[in-house]
Amino acid sequence: MSGAFEALRRWPDVEAPGLVAVDAADRLILDESADIREASQRGDIVVINDAYGALTLGAADAGATAVRTHIDSLTGERALEANARRASLSDSFRVLPLRAELVRGARVVLLRLPRSLDSLRDIAGLIAAHAHPDVIVVAGGRLKHMSVSMNAVLSEHFGRLDVSHARQKSRVLIAREPHDGVDPAPAAAQAEGLEVRAYGGAFAGARLDIGTRLLLESLPIASAGGTPSDPLIDLACGTGIVGAWMATRYPDAHVYACDQSAVAVESARATMLANGIQDRVAVARDDMLSARPDASASFIALNPPFHSAAAVTDLLAPRMFADVARVLRPGGQLWCVWNSGLKYRPLLEGAIGTTEQAARNAKFTVTVSTRR
Ligand SMILES: C[S@@+](CC[C@H](N)C(=O)[O-])C[C@H]1O[C@@H](n2cnc3c(N)ncnc32)[C@H](O)[C@@H]1O
């Protein structure tokens, strides 16, 4: 795979100099697991949290067949599929949700460590509950994203944990002897009179983020939209707190909430169920608003994703605003909260139309942009 590694791409995720599709942690996970994969029965390999396909396709290229793989982000999943087509490896794996079927009977799990400990706990519990008792989990990441707390979380579900030497600022944890398996259950809390549900890794957990709070305080009574064909839209919905808030505030309104993260979508569905509004709120896994028709929406609320890599943030927000502009009908509104330091106003003006400040506090700004 070494030559083919160079051909792996992040597309359709943002691409820019310095943003890679495969990194030293991926290579270390593959190297540290090579003998284990070789010894395992070929159909028993599972990959969790691959970024763009390096682990799945690396294992397949080394002979693994019927690899079961799960990627939280839809753009990562689409990148895996595109990379697999280019490498003629599309038949070597299946994409599955983070449920029992993914890990049932597995003897080898390659895991790219998630940043969230709650997410790691959900994954470790699921593997321990359903994988083969002899399963070996090879879990790796970049040192800057790892902490000893991860060892503690893995130890909640595995009796033996070995730690590799660091290589190129990456490390691998090898977990064996699963015990106390448990299926993931969402964290539950109340905020703003709503029941909020969050599986591990969902933005802000089962809490109300302070930016989201300012957005909710600012949202007006929507003067249009809220019908089945023109629902109020909660874009990048996370736990669905904004969509649930709109659906409970406007008891007849239809709402559409979407996010590209599988954990977010599962959380948002659980949030809608917990509030008894699942019949009026459609929750979808989507990259931005790709499933929504042009010029079809009157009202969109958005707390956009930001990212520690500046190049990602700089490229992601304009793409998201452009998709909002495509989906809003003329006169339709985007209500958006953003960290004031990001200075999104000219971007919003350029992509959508007249943009006014609706609220501002020490950290965040809420704007309303009207589609020209
Ligand atoms: C700042 S969080 C906001 C979550 C929620 N609306 C709230 O306020 O609590 C941003 C969300 O954007 C989602 N996201 C990132 N990229 C996306 C994309 N391309 N399409 C849809 N959602 C995306 C993330 O998964 C995350 O849940």
Side-chain angles (χ1 to χ4, degrees), residues 13 72-75 201-205 207-209 211-213 215 234-243 258-262 264-265 284-289 301-306 316 319-320 337:
D13 202 355
D72 183 68
S73 111
L74 185 59
T75 39
F203 174 76
R207 294 179 306 280
L208 178 61
D209 168 69
T212 311
R213 179 184 297 280
L215 178 64
D234 173 9
L235 168 58
C237 66
T239 57
I241 199 163
V242 175
C258 61
D259 200 294
Q260 69 142 354
S261 151
V265 166
R285 185 164 176 238
D286 195 8
D287 180 15
M288 297 185 276
L289 291 168
L302 170 64
N303 181 3
F306 49 87
L316 200 54
R319 276 169 53 157
M320 208 161 241
V337 60

Side-chain angles (χ1 to χ4, degrees), residues 1 34 43 60 92 107 112 212 217 239 254 266 285 322 341 352:
M1 190 75 191
S92 59
R107 289 169 188 267
R112 187 65 203 235
T212 311
E217 286 169 0
T239 57
H254 287 259
E266 294 290 330
R285 185 164 176 238
I352 297 166

Side-chain angles (χ1 to χ4, degrees), residues 80-110:
L80 160 65
E81 284 160 358
N83 283 321
R85 278 195 297 277
R86 280 191 292 272
S88 302
L89 288 169
S90 299
D91 294 337
S92 59
F93 66 91
R94 277 187 305 150
V95 173
L96 291 168
L98 191 64
R99 302 214 182 100
E101 190 193 353
L102 174 71
V103 291
R104 187 167 288 126
R107 289 169 188 267
V108 181
V109 178
L110 309 185

Side-chain angles (χ1 to χ4, degrees), residues 197-226:
R197 299 288 181 270
Y199 287 92
F203 174 76
R207 294 179 306 280
L208 178 61
D209 168 69
I210 51 169
T212 311
R213 179 184 297 280
L214 190 65
L215 178 64
L216 293 187
E217 286 169 0
S218 316
L219 282 184
I221 303 283
S223 54

Side-chain angles (χ1 to χ4, degrees), residues 240-263:
I241 199 163
V242 175
W245 190 88
M246 294 194 292
T248 48
R249 192 166 182 209
Y250 318 129
D252 296 324
H254 287 259
V255 173
Y256 175 88
C258 61
D259 200 294
Q260 69 142 354
S261 151
V263 149

